[in-house]
Amino acid sequence: MIELHHYPSTASTIPHILLEELGVPFELRLVDRLRESHLSPEFLRLNPNGEFPVLIDGDLVLYETAAICLHLCDTHPEAALAPPVGTPERAQFYKWLIWCSSTLQASLLAWFYPWRWVDVDNPMGAVQVRQNAQVRVEKLLVQLDSHLARTRGPWFLGEVYSVLDPYVLTLCRWTRDFPERPARTFTHIRPYLQRVLERPAVQRVFRREDTPPPYI
């Protein structure tokens, strides 16, 4: 039985949606961040970084969202939630998956946790980090919007739904409280996010995680 250790509205939502799309049995294990359970010795043995998500699949313990997504795609190729290995489409898939993880997600984390990048006695530095992170994220959303304009398909890769769609949805959702230009304000991003939100698997996850509106 697959186990997903998660906390609602974090990056763990992405493999949660993916597991629902796959339709495979899995157990959802809540790690209560409000009680700092993610810093407990038990959880740190699973992920020494103290972050979500963590997937347990038999003897395999796996963290890092993109790695978990790739593992689930590779172990369930019949679901076709990633292009075939060795194709140009797969190469583009890799590019965008890593872009989501190491570029957009990393920039969003700088906005949410700016104090991680400055000294504890430098609150104005944290303010500057957040301001610069927001400028950076807005530029990345412009890139995302332009990509969706070019594909002209219902999904991120065009006609075929993939794990990139819940990944982009989750990251765009994180911008919903931006004081300027959240993802929903972009011409092509907004209708795209609405289509992803309508997926039954996404709706099931939002209900199970008790995700409050607004969703984007």
Side-chain angles (χ1 to χ4, degrees):
M1 176 71 73
I2 293 173
E3 295 180 9
L4 178 65
H5 294 247
H6 85 114
Y7 188 81
S9 295
T10 66
S12 60
T13 299
I14 300 160
H16 190 182
I17 295 173
L18 180 54
L19 286 165
E20 285 286 347
E21 290 282 357
L22 291 172
V24 297
F26 69 97
E27 292 184 4
L28 195 62
R29 297 192 177 272
L30 176 67
V31 182
D32 193 344
R33 186 168 65 177
L34 297 180
R35 297 185 178 182
E36 296 191 341
S37 298
H38 61 300
L39 302 178
S40 68
E42 294 78 14
F43 188 77
L44 291 175
R45 279 195 289 270
L46 299 177
N47 183 355
N49 302 304
E51 296 178 348
F52 313 99
V54 172
L55 185 90
I56 300 178
D57 187 359
D59 294 330
L60 176 68
V61 178
L62 194 61
Y63 51 86
E64 295 298 336
T65 305
I68 291 171
C69 290
L70 284 171
H71 170 69
L72 291 173
C73 288
D74 291 345
T75 52
H76 300 85
E78 70 284 352
L81 289 173
V85 174
T87 63
E89 292 79 12
R90 182 76 171 207
Q92 291 295 326
F93 167 82
Y94 286 143
K95 178 190 78 174
W96 283 111
L97 184 66
I98 302 307
W99 181 87
C100 285
S101 174
S102 64
T103 303
L104 179 55
Q105 185 173 348
S107 299
L108 283 163
L109 291 177
W111 189 86
F112 281 106
Y113 308 105
W115 55 86
R116 292 179 178 176
W117 283 266
V118 299
D119 294 336
V120 294
D121 58 350
N122 186 13
M124 291 309 299
V127 171
Q128 187 175 25
V129 168
R130 170 168 279 189
Q131 290 172 340
N132 290 338
Q134 182 168 331
V135 172
R136 168 75 167 163
V137 170
E138 288 179 1
K139 290 179 180 178
L140 296 174
L141 292 176
V142 170
Q143 182 182 353
L144 177 59
D145 196 66
S146 298
H147 167 78
L148 293 171
R150 289 192 301 271
T151 60
R152 297 184 180 182
W155 310 119
F156 191 86
L157 293 179
E159 296 299 322
V160 180
Y161 184 85
S162 74
V163 69
L164 288 172
D165 296 299
Y167 213 133
V168 172
L169 169 68
T170 300
L171 298 184
C172 285
R173 183 174 183 273
W174 290 357
T175 73
R176 66 192 182 281
D177 293 327
F178 269 27
E180 297 180 16
R181 302 200 77 189
R184 65 178 178 273
T185 63
F186 286 79
T187 303
H188 302 283
I189 295 178
R190 183 181 182 88
Y192 162 76
L193 295 177
Q194 291 293 347
R195 288 192 292 272
V196 182
L197 281 171
E198 292 170 2
R199 299 279 297 191
V202 174
Q203 291 296 314
R204 289 195 298 272
V205 167
F206 279 20
R207 287 194 299 269
R208 191 169 182 181
E209 295 192 1
D210 197 21
T211 303
Y215 297 132
I216 58 173

